[in-house]
Amino acid sequence: MASLPSISISNPQSESQPPIATPAFRAFISRLNATVRHGFSQRRPWLELLDRSSFSRPDSLTEAATRIRRNFSYFRINYISLLALSLALSLLSHPFSLLVLLSLLGAWLFLYLFRPSDQPVVVAGRPFSDREILGILVVSTIVVVFLTSVGSLLISALLVGLGVVCTHGAFRMPEDLFLDDQEPVTSGFLSFLGGAASSAAAAASPAVATRV
């Protein structure tokens, strides 16, 4: 019986560290963990978020929009946590979609971003160049996100989460919130998005630069 094709990452000249053990990957995980911890340290008490005495119907769309903006400035960590919870519940209820996304993320991390440049990807004895790997990953991402049920699942989960956040923000009166003493909206857990992206780029840039 013929053997199945194998996928390997190898270096014919020397033995290198696996992608998960590289300093760049460890630095990325460390920065990600520190950013998440810093973000959650600024989370507001959930009882304050759900204080029933602070809810009332807005008189106009303008007032509702103002409430949403001010409440988001104050409860931004809680709101983003609710969005993440909506995504997590949707993915957990669809294990196949979760597996596909994790596989795609792992492929980007270990086959391109954090793979040492001296470790070529070999499939069935044929080495693939970095441009070929990048092209395959880009096409795979487009197919998974736009041509399968995974994309619609993510969009639906985000819409549900945004609906909950906007409804709470519109009906929660922000008059009792001390917004003047708070940090700007772009600080806190929102900086996780930019911080995580910048740390990923900084951590992966040495490996990516060698492939350009």
Side-chain angles (χ1 to χ4, degrees):
M1 183 175 61
S3 60
L4 296 176
S6 60
I7 300 177
S8 63
I9 302 176
S10 60
N11 179 11
Q13 298 179 350
S14 62
E15 201 68 32
S16 301
Q17 289 181 319
I20 197 172
T22 58
F25 184 76
R26 292 198 300 268
F28 169 73
I29 294 298
S30 177
R31 172 68 183 275
L32 188 65
N33 181 59
T35 305
V36 171
R37 287 177 178 273
H38 174 70
F40 277 109
S41 68
Q42 300 182 6
R43 173 176 50 86
R44 306 300 177 185
W46 290 103
L47 291 178
E48 184 179 6
L49 183 81
L50 301 175
D51 185 7
R52 297 177 59 183
S53 63
S54 299
F55 286 89
S56 69
R57 180 179 176 181
D59 296 329
S60 63
L61 289 177
T62 302
E63 182 182 357
T66 301
R67 287 185 179 185
I68 292 174
R69 185 172 63 254
R70 296 188 66 189
N71 280 318
F72 184 79
S73 298
Y74 189 81
F75 293 113
R76 57 185 178 272
I77 313 299
N78 305 75
Y79 284 165
I80 294 177
S81 298
L82 290 175
L83 289 176
L85 178 63
S86 177
L87 284 171
L89 291 177
S90 297
L91 290 174
L92 289 176
S93 63
H94 297 79
F96 178 75
S97 298
L98 177 61
L99 179 62
V100 170
L101 283 179
L102 289 178
S103 301
L104 184 63
L105 177 62
W108 272 103
L109 290 177
F110 301 129
L111 294 181
Y112 191 77
L113 292 177
F114 296 106
R115 176 175 59 84
S117 58
D118 61 347
Q119 290 188 355
V121 176
V122 180
V123 179
R126 179 189 182 281
F128 283 76
S129 67
D130 295 317
R131 293 196 177 191
E132 290 174 322
I133 294 297
L134 179 60
I136 292 174
L137 290 174
V138 170
V139 172
S140 300
T141 302
I142 293 174
V143 170
V144 168
V145 174
F146 296 104
L147 300 180
T148 68
S149 60
V150 175
S152 60
L153 176 66
L154 294 177
I155 293 175
S156 300
L158 285 175
L159 289 178
V160 170
L162 285 174
V164 173
V165 167
C166 290
T167 301
H168 178 275
F171 282 85
R172 213 283 188 190
M173 294 183 298
E175 282 75 11
D176 61 330
L177 306 181
F178 300 97
L179 299 178
D180 293 338
D181 297 331
Q182 307 306 321
E183 297 178 359
V185 176
T186 55
S187 65
F189 196 69
L190 284 181
S191 64
F192 163 77
L193 301 177
S198 61
S199 63
S205 58
V208 176
T210 60
R211 302 190 181 106
V212 179

